[in-house]
Amino acid sequence: MSHEKYDVIVAGGGSAGVAAAMASAEAGARTLLIEKYNCLGGASTMRSVNTYCGMYTLEDKPKIIVGGVGARVLSELTQLNAVTGPHRHRGVYVVFDPETVKMVLDKLCQQAGVEVMLGCFVTGAKRQENRVTSVLVADHGGQQTFHAAAFVDCTGDGDLLFQSGAETRYGNDEHVNLGSLGTRFGGIPASVVVAQPDIVSAVKRLKLDKGQVTKDRSVATRLPFSHDLVCYLASADYDPRDAGSMTAAEQDGRRQAWLYLDAIRTIPGCEGAYLVSTGPEFGTRESRHLQSKRMFLWTDVIDGHKFDDCIALGAWGAEWHSREDYSSSFDIQPGGSAYQIPMSCLMSRNTPNLFAAGRLADGDRLGGAAIRVMGTAFATGQASGAAAAQVAEHGDVLSIDMLRKTLISQGAILKTD
Ligand SMILES: Cc1cc2nc3c(=O)[nH]c(=O)nc-3n(C[C@H](O)[C@H](O)[C@H](O)COP(=O)(O)OP(=O)(O)OC[C@H]3O[C@@H](n4cnc5c(N)ncnc54)[C@H](O)[C@@H]3O)c2cc1C
């Protein structure tokens, strides 16, 4: 049993978790980042979600609105030619090579002085009165306890929030954004253009019905270097908190992926397509949320609400995928411009030394569907990490002024103009 003591512990090493840990370490806190897989990146490396959305506004002339850690990741990828874009399909995004992302995130965390622990699952947490005091983790050596003064949950599923007794909820008003299995197809020459309408026609040609497959359309991106085609077609209505439900989704998703391969092979030029990988893990768009001090609302975006505690900017629209009929919708903010995100939607209502970020941020159905994307997750992660470092040093009452100064000194963009 280890009883190591940190200033800040971040659970989950996806886009939000990496940004949180780097911001915390760069603010001077001894920081541990705990990730259950053996690489960092979360959805970007483990779910074939290979497009950063939310980094750019959706205006005619897109502006970059994520600075700090997100901008540093993008800059490293650009220097290695591992990113293409910005592209436009619904929104504005860049496409990246996931192997390069793994390497870049390792390097940036190391440079920032983050202590990273891979292959380590947060299984529990202890609390004294209203504060979290430690997390329980499991690896192949057994179980260990790590203590810290402040914590950030970036697990996407809210494991730390839930285990520590912080208030959470699942989805919003019985709505939960649909999950889909990122699937990667190789063997398609770079010169062959595969667009969403080609996929719709291919699924029709094979006469696949809703019983055999779920979605008939998806964004279709081509990766740098390999030119592999990535789609999010096979979908399932499951509960990611339950291993039995998750297993059924994974197995049915893989069955569907082979049918989609048959369909893609009917597109001219794609006859030699093959399956490079599914997932590896099913892509959960929404699970638990933090019950925060102030929920972020889609009407905040529509009304251009200005927050005194703005700590990040968002730019993605409300992207919703229905569990009922597998359709999707994309509502765009007025003018496609940037909108403000408040710190209060990342602060636990009943646990002052615990923060959340990424897809755990407290948003209503459409607000949450907009701020969950990875570009924005870098920004909310950075804010939560810097906030946790401040609380670890100065106590539980967060100074928003001090936090905003720290974020600006770390390169974050907080002004919509
Ligand atoms: C099918 C699909 C398509 C999408 N398309 C896009 C897109 O094109 N562009 C975009 O920007 N976003 C997209 N998204 C949304 C985006 O992937 C997520 O909202 C985003 O990754 C959230 O970042 P995060 O860091 O909060 O979570 P994640 O990326 O999910 O990272 C969470 C991390 O926590 C780890 N973890 C979980 N539980 C534990 C535990 N108990 N202990 C230790 N570690 C743990 C996980 O292994 C993971 O590494 C898509 C999502 C899906 C599912």
Side-chain angles (χ1 to χ4, degrees):
M1 277 295 230
S2 156
H3 286 280
E4 195 90 21
K5 174 110 174 83
Y6 294 87
D7 298 319
V8 172
I9 290 178
V10 178
S15 303
V18 165
M22 284 178 60
S24 166
E26 287 176 355
R30 184 181 179 206
T31 306
L32 176 68
L33 173 60
I34 302 171
E35 166 53 46
K36 72 175 174 178
Y37 291 125
N38 291 321
C39 65
L40 298 173
S44 68
T45 52
M46 291 304 292
R47 290 182 210 127
S48 292
V49 179
N50 302 137
T51 45
Y52 287 137
C53 300
M55 306 283 295
Y56 294 87
T57 61
L58 311 185
E59 294 154 313
D60 291 340
K61 285 191 182 158
K63 289 196 281 281
I64 192 150
I65 50 103
V66 176
V69 175
R72 276 154 71 186
V73 171
L74 199 53
S75 157
E76 293 277 338
L77 294 173
T78 306
Q79 281 172 40
L80 296 163
N81 295 320
V83 67
T84 65
H87 306 273
R88 197 183 272 273
H89 165 84
R90 282 185 162 174
V92 179
Y93 57 86
V94 294
V95 183
F96 54 79
D97 170 57
E99 279 306 318
T100 315
V101 168
K102 288 183 194 171
M103 187 263 284
V104 163
L105 299 185
D106 281 344
K107 177 180 148 184
L108 290 178
C109 281
Q110 202 174 10
Q111 283 174 353
V114 176
E115 295 176 48
V116 178
M117 204 162 282
L118 301 175
C120 193
F121 199 102
V122 174
T123 57
K126 286 220 172 85
R127 129 185 229 120
Q128 268 176 6
E129 296 174 358
N130 66 346
R131 309 183 82 251
V132 188
T133 53
S134 60
V135 290
L136 190 66
V137 303
D139 61 16
H140 292 295
Q143 295 195 328
Q144 301 184 67
T145 302
F146 296 121
H147 299 262
F151 297 80
V152 187
D153 189 340
C154 294
T155 61
D157 289 294
D159 291 7
L160 173 55
L161 298 173
F162 178 71
Q163 300 283 358
S164 68
E167 287 178 38
T168 61
R169 68 172 186 285
Y170 180 61
N172 273 302
D173 304 325
E174 300 189 7
H175 296 285
V176 185
N177 217 333
L178 178 72
S180 304
L181 181 67
T183 306
R184 192 165 153 179
F185 302 95
I188 304 171
S191 55
V192 176
V193 176
V194 182
Q196 181 155 290
D198 302 314
I199 294 175
V200 176
S201 311
V203 171
K204 264 199 194 126
R205 257 195 307 277
L206 216 64
K207 296 195 172 52
L208 294 172
D209 61 35
K210 284 271 156 74
Q212 295 168 284
V213 292
T214 42
K215 275 186 177 284
D216 66 356
R217 62 200 67 212
S218 152
V219 60
T221 49
R222 303 296 290 270
L223 295 187
F225 307 136
S226 66
H227 305 292
D228 285 352
L229 172 76
V230 179
C231 305
Y232 312 104
L233 287 157
S235 298
D237 184 3
Y238 63 96
D239 183 340
R241 298 166 300 175
D242 174 67
S245 177
M246 195 81 237
T247 303
E250 296 280 7
Q251 291 176 341
D252 190 61
R254 283 193 281 276
R255 177 194 64 75
Q256 292 184 53
W258 286 96
L259 289 173
Y260 285 121
L261 173 65
D262 290 341
I264 282 167
R265 281 179 176 156
T266 68
I267 300 172
C270 300
E271 297 80 4
Y274 57 88
L275 212 46
V276 176
S277 81
T278 54
E281 176 182 76
F282 218 94
T284 299
R285 285 192 178 83
E286 186 174 24
S287 176
R288 291 192 186 98
H289 287 283
L290 169 77
Q291 295 278 46
S292 74
K293 293 201 172 235
R294 200 280 197 187
M295 182 187 269
F296 178 75
L297 308 171
W298 182 243
T299 50
D300 293 330
V301 176
I302 300 299
D303 299 344
H305 195 107
K306 302 285 180 227
F307 292 97
D308 291 339
D309 63 342
C310 166
I311 43 68
L313 300 182
W316 198 244
E319 183 184 332
W320 185 258
H321 298 258
S322 160
R323 291 186 174 226
E324 284 74 42
D325 61 4
Y326 305 117
S327 64
S328 64
S329 56
F330 191 61
D331 296 355
I332 295 182
Q333 63 276 24
S337 50
Y339 49 85
Q340 297 191 344
I341 302 173
M343 187 61 214
S344 42
C345 75
L346 310 176
M347 297 169 72
S348 168
R349 211 188 260 181
N350 66 338
T351 315
N353 70 334
L354 177 59
F355 301 88
R359 62 192 167 92
L360 289 174
D362 188 7
D364 65 356
R365 186 175 73 85
L366 293 179
I371 61 173
R372 70 192 164 87
V373 291
M374 295 185 288
T376 317
F378 279 125
T380 57
Q382 180 152 4
S384 280
Q390 190 196 116
V391 162
E393 189 179 355
H394 297 284
D396 288 350
V397 181
L398 186 69
S399 157
I400 296 294
D401 263 5
M402 200 193 290
L403 174 63
R404 284 170 54 90
K405 279 188 189 130
T406 305
L407 289 172
I408 290 165
S409 74
Q410 292 183 348
I413 300 174
L414 304 184
K415 284 191 177 165
T416 45
D417 57 2

